[in-house]
Amino acid sequence: MTITASTTTASATTSAPLADSRALGLAHYAARGVLEHVLARHGITFQQQITLRAAVTADAPHTPDDLIAQVQASLKADTADIRATLDELLNKHLLVADGAHLRPTDAGRDLLAAVGAEVAPITARVWGGIPAEDLAVAGRVLALVTEQANAELAALTV
């Protein structure tokens, strides 16, 4: 059953599906599918890209545990899987150990730049026709859903 919201204007009545977990999931996986297609051409996975991005955008080099915590907070992935991802990035020479810290290599930075350049025009096409006020509403709703879901997850893992 699909729940819809109706909006009546002077000229027409339109129905749009209400946002729910299914709609959010479908949007996420559609966008992620595009990104994963691009990432596969560059030989990295979604989790590797998220982890590498965390290292590249950091103000200072992180310890492995710091990176794992940051990625775990974002992806809700298993810490052992994230640790394996760090090993994969080290083996691909996209990250390098610098004492107790990990830092991105030039190859890691170049890879993220190449992926970003390839994804940018696709992102512009996906988001380009959406009015700014709709994006603002969606942003507020998604932030609230994220906050509430994180609180529920925290309660489940206590």
Side-chain angles (χ1 to χ4, degrees):
M1 178 175 157
T2 302
I3 300 172
T4 60
S6 294
T7 305
T8 304
T9 64
S11 61
T13 299
T14 60
S15 293
L18 291 176
D20 61 11
S21 295
R22 182 176 184 277
L24 175 62
L26 290 173
H28 164 76
Y29 284 112
R32 183 170 167 173
V34 170
L35 177 59
E36 286 182 342
H37 184 80
V38 172
L39 292 173
R41 287 199 296 254
H42 292 274
I44 65 169
T45 66
F46 179 75
Q47 188 159 304
Q48 288 171 343
Q49 183 259 349
I50 295 296
T51 305
L52 183 58
R53 181 170 302 288
V56 166
T57 59
D59 292 334
H62 285 306
T63 65
D65 288 342
D66 292 339
L67 273 175
I68 289 168
Q70 185 176 346
V71 172
Q72 202 285 326
S74 295
L75 296 182
K76 312 305 186 250
D78 180 71
T79 55
D81 289 342
I82 301 167
R83 191 169 302 280
T85 298
L86 288 178
D87 290 341
E88 293 161 2
L89 293 170
L90 287 163
N91 289 335
K92 290 179 181 240
H93 306 287
L94 300 172
L95 289 178
V96 64
D98 185 7
H101 296 90
L102 297 176
R103 62 179 178 78
T105 63
D106 289 342
R109 291 178 190 283
D110 291 346
L111 176 64
L112 279 185
V115 167
E118 193 171 334
V119 169
I122 300 168
T123 300
R125 289 191 301 272
V126 169
W127 292 89
I130 303 172
E133 54 274 1
D134 289 351
L135 292 173
V137 170
R140 288 191 300 273
V141 170
L142 292 172
L144 183 58
V145 168
T146 300
E147 179 184 320
Q148 291 175 175
N150 281 336
E152 290 295 328
L153 182 59
L156 290 171
T157 57
V158 173

